[in-house]
Amino acid sequence: MINVLLADDQTLVRAGFRALLDAQSDVHVVGEAVDGAEAVELARRRRPDVVLMDIRMPRMDGLEATRRITAEPGLAGTRVIVLTTFELDDYVFGALRAGASGFLLKDIDPPDLLTAVRVVADGEALLAPRLTRRLIEAFVEQGRAVASAVSEGERLREVTPREREVLALVGRGLANDEIADELILSPLTVKTHLARLFSKLAARDRAQLVVIAYETGLVVPGGG
């Protein structure tokens, strides 16, 4: 059973998501929060697998709530999906950097929402949609993502040349099997490199690896 927490200040939005999710045999809504502060508190109490997090909420916005949830050691198994009305939302990139596993537009089709919840609950990140890559590229191009970023040499000083290759391919959106084919490695070896990257770069999941790949210049906006 996938336990989901809803965080949105609009009652109708929460009701719509709850009706859709609770109708599934493998999904259960464990709580509803009207703002970020309540989302953090409910996450600590209910320990959901997935939080559907609105960005613009009173008292505490979704960005700060995402940061607190993903930084909580006891919530290491909780994944956050950010909900937004606009594709290129200033807050969304910050949420990805804060540890969100991806983002969705609020007008997403119901089947796609269900797929997203299941994918994230399974430990993956919502990186397949081109919107995520376009979002990251847009903010890197505008300099917002790298304004306070450390240099590539400093950030990646413990990363081996092979791990840099893997990180660059993750940043380009390749799946594990595709990375294995590109570098002539076994899928198990790719998983090992990824596990080391997560540890060395203190990345929560694949979404953060993509951000780091762009921030450190391993992937350039508009590049292949």
Side-chain angles (χ1 to χ4, degrees):
M1 183 67 69
I2 301 171
N3 292 320
V4 178
L5 173 65
L6 304 176
D8 195 298
D9 61 336
Q10 297 183 47
T11 303
L12 286 177
V13 172
R14 296 198 312 273
F17 282 141
R18 176 183 275 276
L20 173 64
L21 294 169
D22 274 345
Q24 310 305 307
S25 60
D26 61 336
V27 182
H28 175 57
V29 176
V30 296
E32 298 182 23
V34 299
D35 57 42
E38 187 176 15
V40 174
E41 179 59 30
L42 283 176
R44 288 169 176 162
R45 286 165 40 199
R46 307 286 171 80
R47 299 184 182 277
D49 301 300
V50 176
V51 180
L52 291 179
M53 181 79 73
D54 186 26
I55 286 292
R56 293 179 174 85
M57 294 184 291
R59 204 154 64 108
M60 179 190 295
D61 66 21
L63 177 58
E64 179 61 24
T66 296
R67 183 181 294 113
R68 295 193 186 191
I69 289 172
T70 58
E72 186 104 6
L75 296 176
T78 296
R79 296 288 180 262
V80 177
I81 299 175
V82 169
L83 300 170
T84 182
T85 307
F86 304 102
E87 291 179 18
L88 300 180
D89 189 312
D90 283 2
Y91 287 99
V92 175
F93 186 82
L96 290 175
R97 294 186 73 192
S101 294
F103 78 101
L104 296 173
L105 299 181
K106 281 191 175 182
D107 61 358
I108 187 172
D109 291 334
D112 292 334
L113 173 66
L114 296 172
T115 297
V117 167
R118 291 175 178 127
V119 165
V120 170
D122 197 38
E124 296 297 325
L126 288 178
L127 295 178
R130 291 176 184 159
L131 288 176
T132 302
R133 184 175 177 183
R134 289 219 316 269
L135 175 87
I136 293 172
E137 288 185 350
F139 280 89
V140 172
E141 284 179 325
Q142 294 170 25
R144 301 179 189 180
V146 296
S148 61
V150 296
S151 70
E152 175 185 340
E154 183 181 351
R155 189 95 180 256
L156 303 179
R157 64 182 181 277
E158 296 183 5
V159 176
T160 68
R162 176 61 88 185
E163 289 165 354
R164 289 185 185 216
E165 291 179 317
V166 172
L167 179 59
L169 293 175
V170 169
R172 284 170 46 193
L174 272 65
N176 286 8
D177 289 346
E178 294 172 320
I179 294 173
D181 290 342
E182 181 84 12
L183 300 179
I184 315 177
L185 299 172
S186 72
L188 181 59
T189 300
V190 172
K191 287 184 178 180
T192 299
H193 285 311
L194 286 172
R196 290 172 180 164
L197 285 168
F198 288 139
S199 177
K200 291 179 179 181
L201 299 174
R204 184 177 174 87
D205 64 15
R206 209 176 183 98
Q208 287 192 308
L209 289 183
V210 172
V211 172
I212 292 170
Y214 276 93
E215 286 184 331
T216 56
L218 289 181
V219 179
V220 296

